Amino acid sequence: MIENNNFLSRAKGLYHQIEEILKETGSNNIAIIPTDALKDIQTELAKLSSAGEELHRSEQFLKRITDVNPAALYIIDLAEMRGIFFSGKITDLLGYTKSDLDAIAGGIESLMHPEDLRKMPLHFQKLETLKDDRVVPIEYRLRHMDGSWRWIYA
């Protein structure tokens, strides 16, 4: 991220240099760009392209890991109380696709058994103060697409 911010600030600087050249020449379409500035742009674009490729490889690697993992992964943004990541195993476990879950008003909480829903505010409160390397386990039931209940250990 820092490298991308550095790239953006350099790109803005180069853009402003080009903008000044256009103003000086009175042209809106043609600019004479100094060779060193062009080389800088090419270098920065190559770095960004390489970083994008590396990010894509990392994302594909993580996707393969989640695809072969027998556990269902569901990551919630606690601030917005919405799911931000679902592994394919959620469909196996609950019968809902990612788009089904995205479309459910109230998110996954609306699938929760009413008795278990009552204990969630305290659980979420604990999660908000939890250090990144800690876990607060909880058991609850979620309604499968067929109407049956599935016990979840999270």
Side-chain angles (χ1 to χ4, degrees):
M1 190 63 148
I2 292 171
E3 197 167 303
N4 282 346
N5 286 338
N6 185 28
F7 168 77
L8 290 175
S9 63
R10 287 182 49 83
K12 285 178 184 175
L14 292 170
Y15 174 79
H16 290 300
Q17 285 179 4
I18 294 168
E19 203 173 45
E20 289 300 315
I21 292 169
L22 288 172
K23 284 179 188 174
E24 288 172 13
T25 61
S27 172
N28 290 327
N29 300 319
I30 299 172
I32 300 169
I33 302 172
T35 306
D36 59 333
L38 187 57
K39 286 180 183 176
D40 285 349
I41 291 170
Q42 290 171 330
T43 301
E44 293 301 323
L45 288 173
K47 285 179 187 177
L48 185 60
S49 176
S50 177
E53 290 168 6
E54 182 61 32
L55 177 61
H56 180 72
R57 280 193 296 275
S58 294
E59 288 172 344
Q60 290 303 310
F61 179 69
L62 287 173
K63 183 180 180 334
R64 286 193 303 269
I65 290 172
T66 59
D67 287 347
V68 299
N69 187 336
L73 301 175
Y74 179 73
I75 300 174
I76 299 172
D77 179 334
L78 290 175
E80 295 185 22
M81 289 310 296
R82 66 178 183 87
I84 56 173
F85 177 82
F86 311 86
S87 71
K89 301 298 186 220
I90 288 288
T91 301
D92 298 342
L93 180 67
L94 298 175
Y96 300 98
T97 65
K98 180 184 182 329
S99 50
D100 291 335
L101 290 172
D102 285 340
I104 293 173
I108 205 162
E109 282 187 337
S110 65
L111 302 175
M112 196 168 289
H113 193 281
E115 292 174 11
D116 300 326
L117 188 57
R118 287 191 282 270
K119 59 185 172 182
M120 294 313 284
L122 178 60
H123 180 69
F124 288 142
Q125 187 178 30
K126 289 178 185 177
L127 291 177
E128 287 175 359
T129 61
L130 196 64
K131 293 181 181 177
D132 284 341
D133 61 342
R134 300 289 179 216
V135 176
V136 177
I138 188 169
E139 284 185 296
Y140 54 91
R141 291 162 282 186
L142 291 177
R143 189 177 53 251
H144 188 279
M145 188 174 235
D146 67 11
S148 64
W149 294 100
R150 304 293 166 97
W151 278 99
I152 307 296
Y153 179 78

